[in-house]
Each structure stands twice: as C-alpha cells, then as structure tokens.
Amino acid sequence: MELVRKIYSLLAGTRKDVEVTKEEFSQSAIKFGQVTPLEIDILYQMSDLYNATGRLTLADIERIAPLAEGALPYNLAELQRQQSYGDRGRPIWLQIAESAYRFSLGSVAGAVGATAVYPIDLVKTRMQNQRSTGSVVGELMYKNSFDCFKKVLRYEGFFGLYRGLLPQLIGVAPEKAIKLTVNDFVRDKFTQKDGSIPLFAEILAGSCAGGSQVIFTNPLEIVKIRLQVAGEITTGPRVSALTVLKDLGLFGLYKGAKACFLRDIPFSGIYFPVYAHCKLMLADENGHVGGFNLLTAGAIAGVPAASLVTPADVIKTRLQVAARAGQTTYNGVIDCFVKILREEGPSAFWKGAAARVFRSSPQFGVTLVTYELLQRWLYVDFGGIKPAGSEPHPKSRISGLPPVNPDHLGGYRLATATFAGIENKFGLSLPKFRAVSATPVQTKAAA
C-alpha cells in the first residue's frame, strides 16, 4: 500500500480529498511497473464498497490499509510537508512568524480572561492586604470575601469592582501571550514523533512560561494592586496609574519580583501539565475536545495551581502595597514571611485563597479556551506541530471514517471485492444466483 500512497500523492499533490479515477491511477502506475491492472481493479472494487463513486480518495486508502496506531502524519499532504523539512528544520523566519501569530492570539485570550474575573481579583487583593495588627481602626474592614464584595459594590459602585482594569489589560495581553507562546514553544521542542510529551518536559515548559512572564507581570500587578486598594481610602488625592508610576519609578515597578517568581513559576509548572492531562481525559473517542470541556479542564487545573501558591501571592501583595501609617512594613521576602508568621500566624498565608482559586481557575479556563478556539477558527499552517484541536486526533487519522461494524464477518468484504467480475476478467461464464424472497402467495401454496 505504500506504493499506492505514493502514486496517489503524485496525482493529488498537496490537495486534500482529491478523487482519482481508475484511468488516471492506471496511467500513473505505469511509471512504477509494480502495480498490475488486476490489483488496480481490486483496489477500486474495495473502495466502492463504502461509496460507489468509481473514484479513489485518501479516505478510501486509509479504510483499506490504515496507518499503524499512533503513526503520524495521518494524511499524505502532511507527510510530504514534514518530509520536505526533514532534519534541516523549518526556516527561522517561519518559526518567528508562528511565534508572532501565537503571541497575537494569546494577547486577545489574556484580555478576555482577565476581564471576565476581574472583580474576583479585586476582592482577593483587598483580602490579602488586610492586616490584623497595626491597624489604625483596630478592627478588620472585611469579614470575608463576600463581605468585601458587598462593601465595594455598596460604597464604590459597580465600576469600583473594575478599578485598575486598564493597566491590567495593557499588561495582561503581553503577559499571557508570552506565557502561552513560551509554553507552546518548549512543549514543541520536547514533543516526540508519536505526539507524546514526557511529564518532566511538561513541567519544564510550564515553569519556563511562568518565569518568562514576570517581566510584564510584576509592573502591571504593582500598579493594579495599588489602584485596587486605593478605593479603601476616602480622603487624600485621587490615585491613578500615572501617580503610581511617578511614585515608584522604573526600578520600583519590580518591587516584590522575587515573590512573583516564587508564585508564577510553580503555578505554571503545575497548571499546564494538569490542564493537558485533563484535556486528554475529557476528549471524545476521536480525541476531540469541545469548548465546554476545554473550559472544564482549565477550571480543574486552576484549583491546585492557584491554591498551592497562595502563600507566595500573599507575600507579593504585602511587599507591593504601600503601608499606611501604623501598619507593619517589610524588607524583602524573608522579612515579610517572618513578620507575617510571628504577628498573624500560619493561617495568614492562606488569606484570599478561596478568592484566588475562584479567580485564577475560571480566568485561565476562559483564557485557554479562547486561545485554543482562536487557533482552531483562525488556523494558519506554519509547518510546525499543529495546536491541539486544529486537526483530528492522531488516533482518528482520517475524519469521517465509518465505525467498525461488530457484525462484520472476517474476510467477506475482501473476498467480494476480489472475486467481483471475475468471469469477465478470465473469460469464464460462471452461473449467477440471486436469492428470491418468498411472497405471501408462495408461502400459502407451500403450506
């Protein structure tokens, strides 16, 4: 069948679903001299058992002799494209174009995900910044996350829930884009020929993605956090993004960067592998994952990733928020950790954990759903590894194949295709028999 595939590829080129007539196939087969007219007749007889068109397609070849389980690629055009690159790899400009394409889609996906859950993020920040000691008032401003949400809505209005959204959107686009692009890039480098990726490579890819985003994450978060807590202060000048930038300066934008690394690297190292395996578990029999299942996979992966790194997120928030009069100040990650542990106890490191899970889990779910759906809807073939969902799963090979018939008898269909029309091929005159169903009249006569 490899020769049949080669002949078909010469006729079809890089096009898909090309129908080849018997005459066209026979003329091309003459060049090779290894395919007899009888074999061509048998091939077309077998293909007509499924769809009697008298023409041969790639799907027919796959039905007659499917590729080995897990074999890639699963169409000839893809095989030709990958073989043309071979060991020399793709041109550097093509790889850059692919990264730019993914970066653009990641920017849109990041903005959608951040906007969807921003009110929860604001509540999480205010809960983490709430300090039980050194308070001027002497009591906590918020009892819990729900109480915080109600008070913000009551005293600051609906748009108070979106305070600081603009700098978040400006920064989240490149941040999420870098994270998704780096994760895809590293995963591609470790993807094996059968499409699998070792677990350590998945963790490494996620960790690299988390570390690479801090250059954008830290400045945008310190501005966002200071704007989010500014609503708690009813007196004094109005705080805006420009005033925060003036107060901090360039180097001040990276205050708390160490804590940001401690949070983002393990978060992504946990999130992306869990997400990838959840997608496999939720895939259908053809390996396809629908939009709702993608969202579910993203939400499930966000629970352990967001909850386990909450202590680092608390430390980062405390370092980045400007302390008010009478509040405890911190000099670095270790000093912050020691003071929180001594003054507020171990439970303080888990403040806002619920809000963080409820924010991060759906946010990354929405972000990755948007990212993967955009890759499907706006798919561009750069000659690399296809993004998940843009093509049928490798196990399905050719979409639209008929399911296996449990009532099928061993070689009956093969024998039928082989011996059909044999009396014409060899000049024989064999009798033909046709089963005649008994009519009601005949049944009564027999009785």
Side-chain angles (χ1 to χ4, degrees):
M1 291 303 294
E2 289 303 319
L3 186 56
V4 171
R5 295 176 193 276
K6 186 180 293 185
I7 295 172
Y8 179 88
S9 66
L10 290 175
L11 293 168
T14 58
R15 295 175 296 169
K16 298 180 180 180
D17 299 328
V18 175
E19 296 182 345
V20 178
T21 65
K22 185 186 293 186
E23 290 74 18
E24 292 172 337
F25 193 91
S26 300
Q27 291 175 3
S28 296
I30 294 175
K31 301 177 183 178
F32 297 91
Q34 299 178 12
V35 183
T36 65
L38 177 59
E39 290 173 331
I40 296 175
D41 285 340
I42 294 174
L43 176 65
Y44 274 80
Q45 287 283 352
M46 294 175 67
S47 65
D48 282 349
L49 290 175
Y50 178 74
N51 190 11
T53 62
R55 297 174 182 269
L56 185 69
T57 65
L58 181 60
D60 294 326
I61 298 175
E62 287 301 313
R63 274 189 290 271
I64 296 170
L67 290 173
E69 183 67 25
L72 287 176
Y74 35 89
N75 62 62
L76 291 178
E78 178 72 7
L79 177 61
Q80 293 169 342
R81 181 176 60 78
Q82 289 192 7
Q83 288 179 344
S84 66
Y85 290 123
D87 295 332
R88 64 185 174 85
R90 293 180 295 156
I92 186 65
W93 66 266
L94 197 58
Q95 298 182 43
I96 294 174
E98 183 178 24
S99 296
Y101 163 77
R102 290 180 175 178
F103 188 92
S104 301
L105 298 187
S107 299
V108 176
V112 172
T115 304
V117 297
Y118 191 80
I120 304 175
D121 183 57
L122 182 137
V123 171
K124 183 268 303 181
T125 300
R126 293 200 179 183
M127 288 299 299
Q128 289 181 341
N129 187 55
Q130 186 167 247
R131 312 178 193 194
S132 57
T133 59
S135 176
V136 178
V137 180
E139 60 180 11
L140 297 178
M141 185 176 294
Y142 311 114
K143 298 177 182 178
N144 49 49
S145 297
F146 186 66
D147 180 60
C148 177
F149 179 83
K150 290 195 302 182
K151 287 183 176 177
V152 172
L153 195 60
R154 180 186 305 168
Y155 297 114
E156 302 175 50
F158 174 78
F159 291 103
L161 295 171
Y162 288 90
R163 185 186 295 271
L165 176 62
L166 183 58
Q168 171 78 343
L169 292 182
I170 294 174
V172 79
E175 176 228 321
K176 290 294 185 294
I178 284 179
K179 174 184 285 190
L180 295 172
T181 302
V182 170
N183 179 70
D184 283 351
F185 178 79
V186 178
R187 285 176 68 93
D188 288 353
K189 296 302 179 185
F190 286 95
T191 300
Q192 300 175 359
K193 291 184 178 180
D194 61 354
S196 64
I197 306 174
L199 180 60
F200 83 89
E202 292 185 290
I203 297 174
L204 176 64
S207 300
C208 291
S212 64
Q213 73 175 38
V214 174
I215 188 173
F216 285 99
T217 302
N218 209 83
L220 79 91
E221 288 215 359
I222 195 169
V223 175
K224 178 198 71 175
I225 285 172
R226 295 204 175 191
L227 291 176
Q228 286 178 337
V229 300
E232 297 175 341
I233 308 173
T234 57
T235 59
R238 183 177 178 273
V239 179
S240 65
L242 290 177
T243 58
V244 173
L245 290 173
K246 285 182 180 180
D247 292 341
L248 291 173
L250 178 61
F251 294 104
L253 291 174
Y254 287 92
K255 187 176 183 180
K258 292 180 181 178
C260 207
F261 276 113
L262 290 175
R263 181 198 65 178
D264 290 343
I265 291 177
F267 177 91
S268 297
I270 295 171
Y271 185 87
F272 284 107
V274 175
Y275 173 70
H277 287 276
C278 284
K279 282 201 304 180
L280 290 177
M281 293 173 60
L282 296 173
D284 60 18
E285 59 210 6
N286 293 324
H288 181 75
V289 187
F292 179 76
N293 285 343
L294 284 175
L295 183 61
T296 303
I300 292 174
V303 174
S307 58
L308 293 176
V309 300
T310 299
D313 194 45
V314 172
I315 294 174
K316 180 195 70 67
T317 300
R318 295 290 182 91
L319 290 174
Q320 291 181 337
V321 175
R324 299 180 198 137
Q327 288 185 332
T328 305
T329 58
Y330 309 105
N331 299 313
V333 174
I334 297 177
D335 179 64
C336 181
F337 175 82
V338 172
K339 287 181 178 178
I340 293 175
L341 185 63
R342 182 176 62 244
E343 297 175 359
E344 304 175 52
S347 60
F349 290 107
W350 301 97
K351 283 184 177 181
R356 175 169 173 77
V357 169
F358 280 108
R359 188 269 294 179
S360 296
S361 182
Q363 178 183 2
F364 277 88
V366 172
T367 299
L368 286 172
V369 166
T370 306
Y371 181 64
E372 295 207 14
L373 291 181
L374 285 175
Q375 288 188 107
R376 296 182 188 183
W377 297 335
L378 306 175
Y379 175 66
V380 178
D381 189 359
F382 291 96
I385 295 176
K386 287 180 170 58
S390 63
E391 291 286 342
H393 193 267
K395 291 184 178 180
S396 67
R397 292 185 293 274
I398 296 295
S399 59
L401 289 181
V404 177
N405 185 357
D407 299 326
H408 171 63
L409 299 178
Y412 171 74
R413 295 182 68 184
L414 178 59
T416 302
T418 303
F419 294 105
I422 190 172
E423 68 280 3
N424 297 326
K425 295 183 179 67
F426 297 96
L428 301 177
S429 181
L430 301 178
K432 293 185 178 181
F433 301 93
R434 179 178 297 176
V436 180
S437 59
T439 62
V441 178
Q442 292 173 328
T443 305
K444 290 180 180 180

